[in-house]
Amino acid sequence: MERFFWRDMIGMNIYILRIVGLWPKNYEIYKPDWYFLYAAISTVLFMTPNVLFQTLNIIFVYSNLEALTETMLVCVAELLGLLKIYTFIKNIGMLKRLMVILESDIFQPKNSRQRLLVEPAIKLWKMIYHTLLGAVVPAVFLWLIFPILNGSAKKYALPFPAWYPYNFKKSYFYELTYLHQAIGTSLVALGDYNIDMLISALMMYMGAQCDILCDNLKSLGAESNDFGQKLKICVVHHKTILRFAENCNVFFNFIMLGQFFTSSICMAMALFRLALVTPSSFEFYTLLSSIMSVVMQIFTYCWFGDEVQSKSDAIAYAAFESAWTQQCLSDKKSMMIFIRRTLVPMKLSTFKLFYLTLETFVKILRSAVSYYTVLRQFGGLK
Amino acid sequence: MMKFKVSGLVADLMPNIRLIQGSGHFMLNYHADNSGALHTLRLGYCCVTLVFMLLQYGCNFVNLVLERGDVNDLAANTITVLFFTHCITKFVYFAVRSKLFYRTLGIWNQPNSHPLFVESNNRYHALALKKMRRLLYIIIVWTSFSAIAWTSITFVGESVHTTKDPENENLTISEPIPRLLVRAWYPWNAMSGMPHMLTLIFQVYYVFFALAHANLLDSLFCSWLIFACEQLQHLKEIMKPLMELSATLDTYVPKSADLFRAPSATSQDNLIENDYNSKNEDLKGVYSTRQELGGHFRGAALQNFGAGGVGPNGLTKKQELMVRSAIKYWVERHKHVVRLVTAIGDAYGVALLLHMLTSTIMLTLLAYQATKITGVDKYAATVIGYLLFALAQVFHFCIFGNRLIEESSSVMEAAYSCHWYDGSEEAKTFVQIVCQQCQKAMSISGAKFFTISLDLFASVLGAVVTYFMVLVQLK
């Protein structure tokens, strides 16, 4: 049976990350070579100035509240994207080592039945990935060609209001600035989105490993009589999964914290604006869609985190389904210790502040809705 | 009255204890010379401190009653009174329940020991000591800084308050009041001159000592928690050598490849061994499953017992005895830690409950006061100062309570992560019992009402922010 490469499952994700400049070849980290130069140009020349100039623009529209909230919404989201990209680059070594560990022997599915077992999870991830890609790419594209569509391109309007140290309203400068904004924004958006999906993929892998472990446990002692040794390997497998989960958590701790923090600010501001505009106006729908995108981002994290937790809960039950009754006392004791440990669910978290579960997601939704309701009340009073 | 011998927790916490005694708390033990005269002297000092504190608190309260006409003044004075309620409560609480404190301080006087684990024990003890000292320095600096800041802000801005204009009922005029740290009513006129100077000095003494009373007691509580956490760290660390000690001397290396199914020849395990065994600083734990499954470490201790005809699955008599005594040490030490934590909870739980009750009311009022901030002035500085101080007090004990919960719940993980499957039957039973026992985390509760953890701090912070936002909207 040929080797099962976990990496191939997320091929497209890695490919796009490679285009953005975030994925050095294979299992390596950034070395002084052409790719490093490409990544440097991509981040320092395109992404960072783009976001920086848009953020600087805030200082100039400070007085106008509407323009301010609009600019701030976009800027906060883009700053988050930039923060994620930089944290990703900083932790690329850790990530590459995690990918190496993922391809180790103990994580391989042992037979075709186990390969079929992990199929649904991978399929689900792929479906989510392609759906959201299909939503993100057109949205970014539309936003970028908006000035051309509504004719304000003739008045030298840019897709994102920004401040530049030079006057961009002249002929060639305008086109170049437009192009720069287009490339910068799409790189940031793609990078942001793909980092999200990569982290979800890591969580999906953890879930798949739990499935494989469950399958191994269920078939313990069935045909051969080396229960003890096989149980020992299952225990080692479990410990490796736990450490993998812990290290993944360390990898994306900071990214998640930034995500939750900025998402709540974005949502608060958008809801604030939403409570003040009249429903069924154009702005209402734009704001609503930006809130939906923030909600979807958080949802992917919480969903996959919850998957990991529920799959790790199933391990104890799978261990119980093995043929433990016919074994010697020593093996039964080992089984007891193993089950005791697996009763503690594998929870992923942001510095232990927020756990990535559907409960957190529901809590966020609930507070957003109550915030919006309260604001509408006070908006009405005013 | 105990004989004075410095050992255990008392020895570790001596600076803290001396400071507590110096500030006037009713801690009359732990002195070298406890003869009648000195004892009476110390008791007198404590009583005098108590009288001064209560007098000043009474003056504050009278002022609150007198100025209850104006809403702003009422809110401000209530906050001040509540703030100093903490200090009085802690002072009186300690006086009333000092027996429980003495019991907790004396609980660690006779810890057990085992020759194999002495080094680890001493190391963690030294670590605990270092952390406790550091905490004490931080508390001292913080208290002094707060007292100095309070004193200096008194001399900034005008010292007035608004009252109704005696001529015109609808207008208000500002009337000068004495420039003091805390607004209080005194039976003498403290506007200027000698009475003013004396009252000012008395108030500086009062503020400094009141802050010290509350903060030093909190730091005593947190130091106990630091000690308990370091003991748990010690227990987690010695779990691994204990397992190795009891590991069978079997050197059978199971081939995982044969047992399940052979993976392909392009096994990439070698990538793991070569690439980063030397540079896995970022990653926690050993990832080489070969190391986990095959061979195992032989601690230095084992080599002493390894000789002399040992069978493939058994231990020598000596080794068995050693293992048994090590397990006994571990279990006794863990029970001792549990006793310590229970004693800490008994001693300080009610104080924490009273603290949280007072804090909740005070923080609500502070949220209201914060909505009236109009610019960067004395008023803003005082409100923010109160707010930060109150939140810092809550954070102080929440963070250590949280650490205790985390440490005690990670003992089970430590037990699981060592090579228990290689151990003898006795060791496996021991691991089983440890896993069972340590699933419930040890925590300190405020007289069973709530648990001291970062969740508590987060909910307090969230509540303050919510009140502030709602009140701002209502303005």
Side-chain angles (χ1 to χ4, degrees), chain B residues 213-316:
Chain B
H213 286 155
N215 286 346
L216 285 174
L217 220 54
D218 280 341
S219 92
L220 183 71
F221 168 71
C222 294
S223 305
W224 285 336
L225 289 180
I226 291 175
F227 188 81
C229 288
E230 294 305 321
Q231 284 300 314
L232 286 170
Q233 293 261 34
H234 163 62
L235 285 173
K236 285 195 298 186
E237 196 197 52
I238 63 175
M239 185 68 88
K240 200 158 184 151
L242 205 153
M243 281 300 128
E244 287 163 19
L245 192 58
S246 82
T248 59
L249 301 179
D250 201 348
T251 51
Y252 170 62
V253 180
K255 294 204 195 71
S256 71
D258 295 339
L259 282 177
F260 284 107
R261 257 226 49 135
S264 84
T266 60
S267 160
Q268 296 194 319
D269 266 352
N270 49 346
L271 258 182
I272 301 176
E273 318 255 18
N274 296 340
D275 269 0
Y276 67 92
N277 251 340
S278 53
K279 33 182 172 123
N280 58 352
E281 316 85 30
D282 293 341
L283 297 178
K284 299 182 187 151
V286 172
Y287 255 107
S288 172
T289 49
R290 230 169 261 168
Q291 248 182 324
E292 289 257 15
L293 290 172
H296 42 252
F297 306 99
R298 307 280 198 103
L302 264 185
Q303 279 148 20
N304 296 336
F305 305 100
V310 182
N313 282 311
L315 307 165
T316 60

Side-chain angles (χ1 to χ4, degrees), chain A residues 57 108 168 172 202-203 208 220 250 277 290 292 316 320 355 364:
Chain A
N57 192 40
Q108 288 284 306
F168 58 84
Y172 280 117
L202 285 174
M203 292 197 265
L220 270 185
V250 167
V277 299
S290 56
M292 286 313 296
F320 191 73
Y355 286 101
I364 293 175

Side-chain angles (χ1 to χ4, degrees), chain B residues 172-392:
Chain B
T172 54
I173 54 163
S174 45
E175 187 189 38
I177 51 167
R179 188 178 279 276
L180 291 171
L181 273 69
V182 207
R183 287 211 215 157
W185 168 88
Y186 293 106
W188 59 86
N189 178 16
M191 270 311 288
S192 59
M194 202 52 181
H196 175 245
M197 194 52 51
L198 287 175
T199 321
L200 189 68
I201 294 175
F202 175 65
Q203 284 213 344
V204 171
Y205 155 80
Y206 171 70
V207 163
F208 185 66
F209 270 63
L211 291 179
H213 286 155
N215 286 346
L216 285 174
L217 220 54
D218 280 341
S219 92
L220 183 71
F221 168 71
C222 294
S223 305
W224 285 336
L225 289 180
I226 291 175
F227 188 81
C229 288
E230 294 305 321
Q231 284 300 314
L232 286 170
Q233 293 261 34
H234 163 62
L235 285 173
K236 285 195 298 186
E237 196 197 52
I238 63 175
M239 185 68 88
K240 200 158 184 151
L242 205 153
M243 281 300 128
E244 287 163 19
L245 192 58
S246 82
T248 59
L249 301 179
D250 201 348
T251 51
Y252 170 62
V253 180
K255 294 204 195 71
S256 71
D258 295 339
L259 282 177
F260 284 107
R261 257 226 49 135
S264 84
T266 60
S267 160
Q268 296 194 319
D269 266 352
N270 49 346
L271 258 182
I272 301 176
E273 318 255 18
N274 296 340
D275 269 0
Y276 67 92
N277 251 340
S278 53
K279 33 182 172 123
N280 58 352
E281 316 85 30
D282 293 341
L283 297 178
K284 299 182 187 151
V286 172
Y287 255 107
S288 172
T289 49
R290 230 169 261 168
Q291 248 182 324
E292 289 257 15
L293 290 172
H296 42 252
F297 306 99
R298 307 280 198 103
L302 264 185
Q303 279 148 20
N304 296 336
F305 305 100
V310 182
N313 282 311
L315 307 165
T316 60
K317 196 85 180 115
K318 245 186 173 179
Q319 198 174 3
E320 235 177 83
L321 282 173
M322 203 63 173
V323 169
R324 208 164 284 168
S325 70
I327 290 178
K328 183 159 180 247
Y329 167 78
W330 199 102
V331 173
E332 289 300 323
R333 184 51 77 96
H334 191 252
K335 290 204 290 196
H336 207 168
V337 173
V338 172
R339 269 206 309 274
L340 173 66
V341 170
T342 322
I344 295 174
D346 288 337
Y348 213 63
V350 178
L352 289 170
L353 175 68
L354 295 169
H355 184 115
M356 288 311 297
L357 281 174
T358 333
S359 283
T360 320
I361 308 174
M362 192 170 82
L363 284 168
T364 319
L365 284 171
L366 275 169
Y368 168 66
Q369 290 285 75
T371 59
K372 291 189 277 176
I373 292 180
T374 45
V376 182
D377 58 359
K378 178 177 169 177
Y379 177 73
T382 44
V383 169
I384 292 184
Y386 270 118
L387 207 55
L388 287 177
F389 196 92
L391 287 173

